[in-house]
Amino acid sequence: MMEEKILMGMIKKTKPPISNLKKIKVLAMDVDGILTNGEIIVQGDGKETKIYNVQDGFGIVVFQKFGYKTAIITARSATAVAARAQDLKIHKVYQDAFPKTTAYEDMLKEFGVRDEEVCYMGDDLPDLPVLNRVGLAVTVPNAVEEAKKAADYVTRNPGGQGAVREVIELIMKAQGTWKKALATFEKP
């Protein structure tokens, strides 16, 4: 019976509301579990290593080229996050953001947007306050149950394995910018 309830919850969240997708101007993301698979590799010297998905990264680059803003809001701090964000030219990076709502409020002001214009991707309890506010709340299949309940959409792809790219494509397709992006790669 419990599995049936979980499955039913997942089924109704396999298509994000088109009206919400059309309003999105900003994609804000957690790191561990969204941009990565949630595993943290700590080397013998204490340095942290993260594995990122190249298609997620390229999706972020394309998304930004079409005028969308991006942000990272993470409760942890890691040089690997700063390096990846710099490489992708993420517009705003908030590390040590706990509670995340403080960073989220700062981001809204800095970008001049409202809740309904933000898509946030998070997978764990610290993400709930932001997931409950945004216009499009997204999580991944391996998220905690509370994040799945708060989400408007649960991606098919797991975190760190194309979930971010999946959401970027959904937003851009709903707004008609995906075809324009494809056109820049289809012709020599």
Side-chain angles (χ1 to χ4, degrees):
M1 187 72 162
M2 182 63 160
E3 289 176 359
E4 194 173 288
K5 280 186 177 180
I6 292 170
L7 184 59
M8 290 300 287
M10 294 285 287
I11 289 171
K12 74 177 185 179
K13 294 185 177 189
T14 57
K15 290 186 179 178
I18 294 292
S19 61
N20 293 32
L21 287 167
K22 288 185 174 187
K23 296 176 186 174
I24 301 304
K25 295 179 180 179
V26 175
L27 174 62
M29 304 155 280
D30 180 26
V31 176
D32 298 317
I34 298 297
L35 284 167
T36 74
N37 69 0
E39 295 177 358
I40 298 170
I41 300 166
V42 180
Q43 299 170 8
D45 60 3
K47 290 187 179 172
E48 191 172 296
T49 301
K50 295 183 183 292
I51 299 172
Y52 297 101
N53 181 284
V54 71
Q55 290 180 350
D56 283 344
F58 190 68
I60 289 168
V61 169
V62 170
F63 192 68
Q64 293 174 143
K65 282 189 180 202
F66 280 82
Y68 300 95
K69 299 288 186 191
T70 55
I72 288 175
I73 303 175
T74 179
R76 301 183 70 248
S77 183
T79 56
V81 172
R84 183 65 171 159
Q86 183 177 1
D87 181 45
L88 296 175
K89 296 178 178 53
I90 301 287
H91 296 104
K92 291 290 175 186
V93 180
Y94 303 93
Q95 296 199 67
D96 288 321
F98 191 80
K100 291 187 175 190
T101 50
T102 303
Y104 176 73
E105 288 287 339
D106 289 346
M107 183 203 74
L108 290 176
K109 288 177 191 160
E110 290 184 48
F111 288 157
V113 295
R114 299 180 312 272
D115 289 331
E116 60 268 18
E117 297 172 313
V118 178
C119 171
Y120 181 73
M121 296 182 70
D123 70 319
D124 209 345
L125 300 179
D127 299 305
L128 292 177
V130 179
L131 287 169
N132 286 320
R133 284 189 55 180
V134 296
L136 184 64
V138 178
T139 196
V140 292
N142 51 319
V144 298
E145 197 57 38
E146 293 82 1
K148 290 178 185 176
K149 287 178 184 173
D152 298 307
Y153 179 64
V154 178
T155 62
R156 281 180 243 115
N157 295 316
Q161 296 180 32
V164 172
R165 175 68 170 266
E166 179 182 333
V167 172
I168 286 169
E169 287 187 24
L170 286 170
I171 293 166
M172 292 183 74
K173 286 175 183 176
Q175 295 185 15
T177 53
W178 186 249
K179 282 185 181 179
K180 293 174 187 172
L182 286 179
T184 63
F185 297 103
E186 292 176 338
K187 297 176 185 167

